[in-house]
């Protein structure tokens, strides 16, 4: 039987989790900033969102603003997740799992919305299918790890229990 003190800390598989946590907001920014920037700089935004324009696409503006909003919120939450990870905060596993679940839901909803805005597009084009598979595989691997790992419990979840068990000034006297 392994002592919980041996498992405390950012070691073992948590190193891999930490690398992913640190790289995730950077990855989002590297992928989406050039994409969104190009849409606004090359005239597509005006062409696709101006009623009466030959290239006008109903609801394109709302769809793009929704994507930008979601991805911006994700970057902020992922930066917060970095803080939670390195401070070994008890909320880390819950927020980590929530991000995976939110990502999968967003990929489905975004794919559905894209097919409503672009009816000729397939709901699961190769790019969307790859993103969905990556999210599902990541979820199948890391969510159970966050839920059952002794190291996760000792490093993050155990911290909450330790706070509850420490006597306070009022409870002692």
């Amino acid at each position: 039987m392994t002592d919980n003190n041996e498992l405390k800390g950012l070691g073992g598989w948590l190193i891999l989790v930490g690398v992913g946590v640190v790289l995730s907001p950077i990855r989002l920014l590297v992928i989406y900033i050039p994409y969104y920037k190009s849409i606004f700089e090359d005239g597509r935004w005006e062409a696709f969102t101006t009623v009466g324009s030959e290239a006008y696409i109903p609801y394109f503006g709302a769809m793009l603003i929704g994507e930008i909003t979601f991805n911006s919120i994700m970057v902020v939450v992922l930066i917060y997740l970095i803080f939670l990870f390195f401070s070994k905060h008890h909320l880390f596993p819950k927020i980590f799992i929530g991000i995976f679940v939110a990502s999968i839901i967003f990929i489905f909803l975004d794919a559905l919305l894209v097919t409503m805005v672009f009816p000729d597009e397939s709901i699961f084009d190769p790019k969307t299918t790859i993103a969905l598979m990556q999210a599902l595989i990541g979820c199948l691997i890391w969510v159970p790890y966050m839920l059952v790992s002794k190291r996760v419990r000792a490093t993050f979840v155990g911290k909450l229990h330790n706070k509850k068990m420490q006597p306070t000034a009022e409870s002692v006297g």
Side-chain angles (χ1 to χ4, degrees):
M1 191 163 136
T2 309
D3 181 22
N4 268 358
N5 287 332
E6 288 180 35
L7 294 174
K8 276 187 181 177
L10 303 175
W13 288 104
L14 282 178
I15 293 171
L16 194 55
V17 171
V19 169
V21 165
V22 170
L23 293 179
S24 290
I26 297 166
R27 181 179 155 268
L28 268 180
L29 291 170
V30 166
I31 291 171
Y32 288 112
I33 286 178
Y35 171 70
Y36 295 139
K37 187 178 174 188
S38 71
I39 289 174
F40 289 104
E41 288 180 348
D42 69 6
R44 285 183 283 170
W45 173 257
E46 289 83 10
F48 293 162
T49 59
T50 303
V51 177
S53 163
E54 193 173 303
Y56 175 69
I57 301 171
Y59 307 111
F60 176 82
M63 179 190 72
L64 189 64
I65 296 299
E67 286 180 356
I68 291 170
T69 301
F70 178 81
N71 286 316
S72 298
I73 291 169
M74 283 300 284
V75 168
V76 171
V77 172
L78 288 167
I79 291 169
Y80 179 58
L81 192 67
I82 294 170
F83 165 76
L84 293 176
F85 180 79
F86 286 108
S87 65
K88 302 175 192 150
H89 198 281
H90 70 276
L91 288 177
F92 174 79
K94 291 176 184 169
I95 305 286
F96 183 86
I97 291 168
I99 288 171
F100 265 107
V101 172
S103 295
I104 291 169
I105 292 169
F106 177 76
I107 291 169
F108 271 117
L109 292 177
D110 190 51
L112 183 63
L113 186 58
V114 166
T115 58
M116 293 169 81
V117 174
F118 300 100
D120 296 335
E121 291 292 319
S122 168
I123 189 163
F124 290 112
D125 64 337
K127 204 173 179 182
T128 304
T129 302
I130 289 170
L132 182 59
M133 289 297 115
Q134 288 174 335
L136 284 171
I137 290 169
C139 194
L140 289 172
I141 293 168
W142 295 114
V143 169
Y145 176 73
M146 288 291 147
L147 294 173
V148 301
S149 167
K150 291 177 183 176
R151 181 174 298 277
V152 169
R153 187 168 291 116
T155 303
F156 302 106
V157 182
K159 198 167 188 146
L160 178 64
H161 297 296
N162 289 344
K163 284 183 182 177
K164 287 181 181 175
M165 295 177 75
Q166 291 177 353
T168 61
E170 291 105 19
S171 66
V172 175

